[in-house]
Amino acid sequence: MTRVRGPSPLDDLNRRLAAIRERRRDDASETGPDDTAKSAMGYALRIGVELVAGLVVGGGMGWLLDLWLGTSPFLLILFFFLGAAAGMVNVWRATRTMNLPDTPGD
């Protein structure tokens, strides 16, 4: 009078979890890890941050140098424009690569 048991609930759960993990692994390999970074919103945020960072760093350096050297406002204006130029160069570099195809080495 031995009773034959089917698979235990834990074995069934482990099998289903393994199948789900395998599907997720396959989905991740198809889309690649850079899909979210290459979205339009990601690019817009990056471009905005690049431009603002150049302005803030340039203006801040000019302001600090003006305080230190007592040449107010000349270095602030000069470094503000240099920071704006650096920000625009960074934006240009970021937008240059927007539509390039992905390469395996990147």
Side-chain angles (χ1 to χ4, degrees):
M1 298 264 193
T2 60
R3 196 169 168 183
V4 177
R5 291 186 172 176
S8 72
L10 286 179
D11 291 337
D12 183 46
L13 178 63
N14 285 334
R15 189 175 59 252
R16 288 186 301 171
L17 284 174
I20 290 171
R21 286 185 187 120
E22 186 65 32
R23 270 187 286 166
R24 290 187 69 200
R25 193 174 307 126
D26 290 342
D27 291 343
S29 67
E30 289 175 7
T31 59
D34 288 336
D35 279 352
T36 56
K38 292 213 172 211
S39 68
M41 183 72 85
Y43 273 121
L45 184 63
R46 179 181 174 191
I47 288 169
V49 167
E50 295 275 356
L51 191 55
V52 170
L55 291 170
V56 168
V57 169
M61 285 176 54
W63 179 66
L64 289 174
L65 286 172
D66 273 339
L67 285 177
W68 184 46
L69 299 173
T71 58
S72 185
F74 300 113
L75 292 178
L76 173 64
I77 294 169
L78 174 69
F79 276 86
F80 180 81
F81 284 115
L82 288 175
M88 287 181 197
V89 167
N90 286 339
V91 166
W92 180 70
R93 286 180 185 162
T95 57
R96 219 175 32 167
T97 60
M98 281 175 85
N99 292 323
L100 292 178
D102 292 335
T103 57
D106 285 345

